[in-house]
Amino acid sequence: MTETGSTEATGSWARGIAAMTLFTEDLETTKQFYVDVFQAKSVFEDDNSAVFGFGPTLVNLLRATSAPELVEPAQVGAPDAGARAVYTVGVDDVDAVCAQLAERGIVLLNGPMDRPWGIRTASFRDPAGHIWEIAH
């Protein structure tokens, strides 16, 4: 925050999140999940990745075997190592979206529930183990 209480970024580098790259062991299954669940359309695909547009943010699904070149010398985490992040998507009606998810065969991890900080949320996992939250 700035002295005036604004959260506006002062540096030219902080213009928002342009893209997130999520690693997956099974690109085809994870890609189909994004098409079926989010009704997302791919904006780019090759043998190792599929990129979807979520508003101004791109979500890149990348084969885990291709990930080391992006993170070396860090290690690519195993899919069963536990949740390390939650990706939140804003929706107009959490309960209605939960009903749509159920129709698509998605089992919720939690919710819908009212959180103490004033929003309603529900969470689910994609086939690669990434946690997605819907919120309003």
Side-chain angles (χ1 to χ4, degrees), residues 98 108-113 115 121-124 133:
C98 285
L108 297 177
L109 296 172
N110 59 56
M113 66 177 75
R115 298 292 189 168
T121 71
S123 295
F124 58 95
E133 174 185 67

Side-chain angles (χ1 to χ4, degrees), residues 12 54 60 68 95 100 110:
S12 63
F54 281 69
N60 177 29
D95 293 271
Q100 292 172 356
N110 59 56

Side-chain angles (χ1 to χ4, degrees), residues 34 38 40 83 118 133:
Y34 281 62
F38 295 114
E133 174 185 67

Side-chain angles (χ1 to χ4, degrees), residues 20 38 54-57 86-95 97-98 100-101 119-122 124 132-136:
M20 296 183 298
F38 295 114
F54 281 69
T57 303
V86 174
Y87 305 99
T88 302
V89 177
V91 299
D92 291 329
D93 184 336
V94 170
D95 293 271
V97 173
C98 285
Q100 292 172 356
L101 292 172
I119 63 173
R120 187 160 179 80
T121 71
F124 58 95
W132 285 88
E133 174 185 67
I134 53 174
H136 178 81

